[in-house]
Amino acid sequence: MAEPVTIDDLAGGVRLITLNRPEKKNALTGAMYDAMRAGLTEADASDAVGAVVFAGQPGMFSAGNDLADFMGHAGDGFSSSPALAFIRQLTRTRTPMVAAVDGIAVGIGATLCLHCDLVYASPAARLRMPFVELGLVPEAASSYLLPLRVGRLRATELLLLSRPLEADEAQALGLVNAVLPADMLVEQAIAQAARLAALPRGALTASRALIRGDQAQVEAALEAEAKAFDAQLRSPESQERLAAFLSRSKPAASA
């Protein structure tokens, strides 16, 4: 059986992290979060890795959390979850990150893109953040980063009403750099990552930090969300919503 997350170091200093669980639409388990977190941590520690690319399978980036797996660890609370450990690493990673989004990008599949330095999408890309309808709150500092990108009113619509965002609109809003044919998507993401990796490392790191702005604000938003997420995860309304979702036995999950 193939590993659900594969990590390949390519020519040009590019590390490719591929979600490889197509039978579950790349819904993320704790083990997958751990693998991605390790991939980012190792990239920061490596002189050979100059950029990271996130990709999924054709037609699917990620359906978000595997809710059955997630709820299996819910008793320990969100604060100690592999998901939060990955999100914390995602916000702190110094290595440039690029996303290649084909098909669904739900929950963390969408909010991960807010932390990437470049995002490319196929025409089939569809971003959705259904946290509130599951009785939860936004995560990955999306409550802070999304309003900065698209404005408070549009962010409210996307985060509270869970409105799906098609590729062309995501590009128009500044969430996606370009919309490309699916068969060119990963190739383009890797090529742009290689361009980043070839730049002078010190200048790249310093410039990236300047462009990204106040890191303390991002981390403060992340921790505030994590506290609220943990409280909501334990709430009756969230337990009811999540149980109802799981009872429908859908192959994909989100949050």
Side-chain angles (χ1 to χ4, degrees):
M1 181 179 293
E3 291 295 323
V5 175
T6 60
I7 298 177
D8 298 289
D9 288 335
L10 310 179
V14 175
R15 170 163 286 192
L16 176 62
I17 299 178
T18 305
L19 304 179
N20 188 33
R21 198 184 179 215
E23 73 281 4
K24 293 292 186 179
K25 298 185 179 180
N26 293 334
L28 297 169
T29 64
M32 293 170 73
Y33 278 121
D34 286 341
M36 290 194 296
R37 177 175 54 81
L40 292 179
T41 302
E42 292 165 4
D44 271 356
S46 172
D47 292 332
V49 178
V52 171
V53 173
F54 289 102
Q57 299 300 305
M60 63 188 79
F61 186 63
S62 176
N65 276 320
D66 181 313
L67 287 181
D69 179 87
F70 186 77
M71 292 305 293
H73 298 90
D76 298 329
F78 185 62
S79 60
S80 60
S81 70
L84 183 56
F86 167 72
I87 289 168
R88 284 173 172 149
Q89 179 59 46
L90 184 67
T91 64
R92 296 167 184 168
T93 293
R94 299 184 305 278
T95 305
M97 295 176 288
V98 180
V101 181
D102 185 17
I104 57 170
V106 181
I108 185 63
T111 58
L112 177 153
C113 296
L114 296 173
H115 297 277
C116 289
D117 301 277
L118 298 170
V119 179
Y120 299 98
S122 76
R126 191 171 186 264
L127 285 68
R128 188 165 177 264
M129 294 166 276
F131 304 109
V132 176
E133 69 182 52
L134 291 174
L136 300 170
V137 301
E139 35 82 307
S142 57
S143 63
Y144 173 73
L145 292 172
L146 194 60
L148 286 180
R149 299 279 190 91
V150 305
R152 182 176 62 82
L153 293 179
R154 189 63 57 84
T156 297
E157 183 180 31
L158 296 173
L159 289 172
L160 298 193
L161 298 181
S162 310
R163 183 172 71 80
L165 196 59
E166 307 293 338
D168 287 342
E169 186 180 3
Q171 182 182 15
L173 290 174
L175 297 175
V176 166
N177 290 86
V179 179
L180 303 167
D183 60 356
M184 297 174 54
L185 183 64
V186 175
E187 179 183 354
Q188 171 70 359
I190 291 171
Q192 295 300 92
R195 290 185 63 187
L196 291 171
L199 293 169
R201 191 67 58 89
L204 176 64
T205 300
S207 298
R208 182 177 183 269
L210 290 168
I211 291 168
R212 293 169 76 84
D214 192 341
Q215 176 69 13
Q217 288 274 20
V218 174
E219 294 195 23
L222 185 159
E223 296 303 331
E225 289 173 352
K227 183 176 180 180
F229 196 105
D230 192 58
Q232 281 301 123
L233 186 60
R234 301 171 189 274
S235 70
E237 66 179 8
S238 177
Q239 293 291 317
E240 180 180 349
R241 291 289 183 126
L242 292 168
F245 186 94
L246 287 171
S247 71
R248 294 200 294 269
S249 300
K250 291 190 175 181
S254 71

